[in-house]
Amino acid sequence: TIPHFYVHSSANAERLIARRSASADAPVVWDAFFVHAAARALEKFERMGFRFENDRLSPSNSDAIGVAVDSDGELSVIALPAPGGKTPEVLSGEIRAAVEKLRSGDADARRLQATRFTITNLGSTGIESFTAIVNPPEAAILAIGKVGPVAVVVDGRVVPQDRVSLTLSADHRVVNGKYAAEFLQAIVRELETL
Protein backbone atom coordinates (compact mmCIF):
# COMPACT_ATOMS: atom_id res chain seq x y z
CA THR A 1 0.00 0.00 0.00
CA ILE A 2 3.09 2.28 0.13
CA PRO A 3 3.88 4.19 -3.10
CA HIS A 4 7.60 3.38 -3.20
CA PHE A 5 10.31 5.08 -5.20
CA TYR A 6 14.02 4.38 -5.18
CA VAL A 7 17.28 6.33 -5.37
CA HIS A 8 20.67 4.68 -5.73
CA SER A 9 24.24 5.78 -5.09
CA SER A 10 27.53 4.36 -3.86
CA ALA A 11 30.20 5.46 -1.42
CA ASN A 12 33.96 5.14 -1.26
CA ALA A 13 34.43 2.48 1.44
CA GLU A 14 38.20 2.69 1.86
CA ARG A 15 38.00 4.72 5.10
CA LEU A 16 35.45 2.26 6.48
CA ILE A 17 37.74 -0.68 5.71
CA ALA A 18 40.70 1.07 7.35
CA ARG A 19 38.70 1.94 10.47
CA ARG A 20 37.27 -1.56 10.62
CA SER A 21 40.69 -3.20 10.45
CA ALA A 22 42.04 -0.79 13.12
CA SER A 23 39.53 -2.09 15.69
CA ALA A 24 41.45 -3.49 18.64
CA ASP A 25 39.22 -6.36 19.76
CA ALA A 26 36.90 -7.25 16.90
CA PRO A 27 36.18 -5.60 13.55
CA VAL A 28 33.41 -3.02 13.62
CA VAL A 29 30.30 -4.67 12.18
CA TRP A 30 29.46 -3.10 8.83
CA ASP A 31 25.97 -2.04 9.87
CA ALA A 32 27.42 0.19 12.61
CA PHE A 33 28.88 2.51 9.97
CA PHE A 34 25.57 2.78 8.12
CA VAL A 35 23.54 3.36 11.29
CA HIS A 36 25.98 6.08 12.34
CA ALA A 37 25.87 7.78 8.92
CA ALA A 38 22.07 7.57 8.68
CA ALA A 39 21.63 8.97 12.19
CA ARG A 40 23.84 11.95 11.36
CA ALA A 41 21.99 12.54 8.07
CA LEU A 42 18.60 12.31 9.82
CA GLU A 43 19.62 15.26 12.00
CA LYS A 44 19.58 17.41 8.84
CA PHE A 45 16.71 15.67 7.02
CA GLU A 46 14.12 15.25 9.76
CA ARG A 47 11.26 14.44 7.39
CA MET A 48 12.97 11.13 6.51
CA GLY A 49 12.17 10.08 10.07
CA PHE A 50 8.44 10.86 9.84
CA ARG A 51 5.76 8.17 9.95
CA PHE A 52 2.66 7.69 7.83
CA GLU A 53 0.03 6.10 10.05
CA ASN A 54 -3.77 6.05 9.86
CA ASP A 55 -3.63 8.36 6.82
CA ARG A 56 -1.72 10.95 8.85
CA LEU A 57 1.85 12.17 8.65
CA SER A 58 3.63 12.75 11.96
CA PRO A 59 7.15 12.91 13.39
CA SER A 60 8.38 9.64 14.84
CA ASN A 61 8.32 9.42 18.61
CA SER A 62 11.44 7.23 18.48
CA ASP A 63 15.07 8.21 18.01
CA ALA A 64 16.07 4.60 17.30
CA ILE A 65 17.36 3.25 14.01
CA GLY A 66 16.49 -0.34 13.18
CA VAL A 67 18.76 -2.98 11.70
CA ALA A 68 17.18 -5.92 9.89
CA VAL A 69 18.56 -9.26 11.13
CA ASP A 70 17.98 -12.77 9.82
CA SER A 71 17.52 -15.22 12.70
CA ASP A 72 16.76 -18.83 11.83
CA GLY A 73 15.12 -17.79 8.57
CA GLU A 74 12.95 -15.15 10.21
CA LEU A 75 13.45 -11.44 9.67
CA SER A 76 13.58 -9.26 12.78
CA VAL A 77 14.52 -5.64 13.35
CA ILE A 78 16.72 -4.70 16.30
CA ALA A 79 16.41 -1.12 17.56
CA LEU A 80 19.45 1.01 18.37
CA PRO A 81 18.34 3.99 20.48
CA ALA A 82 19.96 7.43 20.15
CA PRO A 83 22.64 6.36 17.64
CA GLY A 84 23.57 9.88 16.53
CA GLY A 85 25.92 10.56 19.43
CA LYS A 86 27.60 7.15 19.36
CA THR A 87 30.71 6.06 17.51
CA PRO A 88 30.59 3.14 15.07
CA GLU A 89 32.64 1.17 17.60
CA VAL A 90 30.00 1.66 20.33
CA LEU A 91 27.19 0.90 17.88
CA SER A 92 29.03 -2.25 16.79
CA GLY A 93 29.03 -3.54 20.36
CA GLU A 94 25.31 -2.77 20.71
CA ILE A 95 24.51 -4.55 17.44
CA ARG A 96 26.53 -7.65 18.42
CA ALA A 97 24.81 -7.80 21.84
CA ALA A 98 21.32 -7.34 20.37
CA VAL A 99 21.88 -9.99 17.69
CA GLU A 100 23.22 -12.42 20.29
CA LYS A 101 20.12 -11.90 22.45
CA LEU A 102 17.86 -12.34 19.42
CA ARG A 103 19.53 -15.55 18.28
CA SER A 104 19.54 -16.99 21.82
CA GLY A 105 15.74 -16.83 21.79
CA ASP A 106 15.38 -13.94 24.24
CA ALA A 107 11.67 -13.01 24.23
CA ASP A 108 12.37 -9.30 24.85
CA ALA A 109 14.71 -9.19 21.84
CA ARG A 110 11.91 -10.45 19.59
CA ARG A 111 9.44 -7.82 20.80
CA LEU A 112 8.75 -5.21 18.12
CA GLN A 113 10.21 -1.81 19.04
CA ALA A 114 9.53 1.53 17.39
CA THR A 115 12.20 2.85 15.05
CA ARG A 116 12.26 5.87 12.79
CA PHE A 117 14.41 4.41 9.99
CA THR A 118 15.73 0.95 9.06
CA ILE A 119 18.96 -0.39 7.58
CA THR A 120 19.02 -3.73 5.74
CA ASN A 121 22.25 -5.27 4.52
CA LEU A 122 22.78 -8.19 2.13
CA GLY A 123 26.45 -7.42 1.49
CA SER A 124 27.65 -10.56 3.27
CA THR A 125 25.75 -12.67 0.70
CA GLY A 126 27.70 -11.12 -2.19
CA ILE A 127 24.71 -9.13 -3.47
CA GLU A 128 25.95 -5.95 -5.15
CA SER A 129 22.74 -3.97 -4.74
CA PHE A 130 19.04 -4.47 -4.07
CA THR A 131 15.88 -2.55 -3.33
CA ALA A 132 14.14 -3.04 0.00
CA ILE A 133 10.51 -2.59 1.01
CA VAL A 134 9.73 0.21 3.45
CA ASN A 135 8.88 -1.04 6.93
CA PRO A 136 5.55 0.70 7.71
CA PRO A 137 4.80 3.14 9.21
CA GLU A 138 8.37 4.38 8.52
CA ALA A 139 9.04 6.59 5.51
CA ALA A 140 12.19 4.92 4.21
CA ILE A 141 14.66 2.05 4.37
CA LEU A 142 18.32 1.90 3.28
CA ALA A 143 19.55 -1.23 1.47
CA ILE A 144 23.28 -1.97 1.60
CA GLY A 145 25.11 -4.11 -0.94
CA LYS A 146 28.54 -5.71 -0.69
CA VAL A 147 31.73 -3.74 -0.13
CA GLY A 148 34.22 -4.50 -2.87
CA PRO A 149 36.60 -3.16 -5.50
CA VAL A 150 35.22 -1.48 -8.61
CA ALA A 151 36.83 0.53 -11.40
CA VAL A 152 36.42 4.29 -10.92
CA VAL A 153 37.85 7.32 -12.69
CA VAL A 154 40.11 9.46 -10.49
CA ASP A 155 41.92 12.43 -12.06
CA GLY A 156 41.30 11.03 -15.53
CA ARG A 157 42.67 7.56 -14.71
CA VAL A 158 40.77 4.33 -14.13
CA VAL A 159 41.77 2.92 -10.72
CA PRO A 160 40.38 0.22 -8.41
CA GLN A 161 38.50 1.53 -5.39
CA ASP A 162 36.55 -0.27 -2.67
CA ARG A 163 32.97 0.98 -2.77
CA VAL A 164 29.60 0.09 -1.31
CA SER A 165 26.22 0.28 -3.04
CA LEU A 166 23.37 2.14 -1.29
CA THR A 167 19.72 2.08 -2.35
CA LEU A 168 17.14 4.19 -0.53
CA SER A 169 13.49 3.14 -0.80
CA ALA A 170 11.09 5.91 0.21
CA ASP A 171 7.39 6.56 0.65
CA HIS A 172 6.32 9.21 -1.88
CA ARG A 173 3.52 10.36 0.43
CA VAL A 174 6.17 11.54 2.90
CA VAL A 175 9.09 12.79 0.79
CA ASN A 176 9.80 13.67 -2.82
CA GLY A 177 12.65 12.46 -5.01
CA LYS A 178 14.90 15.49 -4.59
CA TYR A 179 14.65 15.40 -0.79
CA ALA A 180 15.38 11.66 -0.71
CA ALA A 181 18.33 12.07 -3.11
CA GLU A 182 19.83 14.83 -0.96
CA PHE A 183 19.37 12.66 2.14
CA LEU A 184 21.14 9.72 0.46
CA GLN A 185 24.01 11.98 -0.61
CA ALA A 186 24.29 13.18 3.01
CA ILE A 187 24.70 9.55 4.07
CA VAL A 188 27.41 9.11 1.42
CA ARG A 189 29.26 12.16 2.74
CA GLU A 190 29.06 10.87 6.30
CA LEU A 191 30.44 7.48 5.24
CA GLU A 192 33.28 9.02 3.25
CA THR A 193 34.40 11.34 6.07
CA LEU A 194 34.20 8.92 9.03
Side-chain angles (χ1 to χ4, degrees), residues 9 14 30 32 34 55 87 92 97 105-106 132 149 158 167 176:
S9 191
E14 292 180 347
W30 286 111
F34 305 114
D55 292 327
T87 66
S92 181
D106 185 301
V158 177
T167 303
N176 63 30

Side-chain angles (χ1 to χ4, degrees), residues 19 27-40 63-67 78-99 119 194:
R19 187 157 175 178
V28 174
V29 296
W30 286 111
D31 288 335
F33 294 119
F34 305 114
V35 169
H36 177 80
R40 299 287 300 269
D63 64 358
I65 289 184
V67 175
I78 59 171
L80 300 166
K86 298 173 184 172
T87 66
E89 289 77 11
V90 169
L91 290 167
S92 181
E94 291 183 5
I95 292 169
R96 285 183 199 278
V99 169
I119 306 283
L194 268 173

Side-chain angles (χ1 to χ4, degrees), residues 16-101:
L16 307 184
I17 292 169
R19 187 157 175 178
R20 191 168 190 262
S21 63
S23 304
D25 299 326
V28 174
V29 296
W30 286 111
D31 288 335
F33 294 119
F34 305 114
V35 169
H36 177 80
R40 299 287 300 269
L42 279 164
E43 292 170 5
K44 302 172 192 123
F45 292 86
E46 292 179 1
R47 196 168 175 98
M48 294 304 303
F50 274 44
R51 303 168 77 77
F52 196 87
E53 245 175 331
N54 302 320
D55 292 327
R56 294 182 59 205
L57 184 63
S58 60
S60 175
N61 58 1
S62 172
D63 64 358
I65 289 184
V67 175
V69 176
D70 176 64
S71 178
D72 296 326
E74 288 188 26
L75 187 62
S76 299
V77 176
I78 59 171
L80 300 166
K86 298 173 184 172
T87 66
E89 289 77 11
V90 169
L91 290 167
S92 181
E94 291 183 5
I95 292 169
R96 285 183 199 278
V99 169
E100 188 175 311
K101 282 178 68 175

Side-chain angles (χ1 to χ4, degrees), residues 147-171:
V147 174
V150 296
V152 297
V153 178
V154 177
D155 298 328
R157 294 182 308 118
V158 177
V159 297
Q161 184 181 90
D162 285 305
R163 296 190 70 82
V164 60
S165 167
L166 310 167
T167 303
L168 181 71
S169 305
D171 184 338

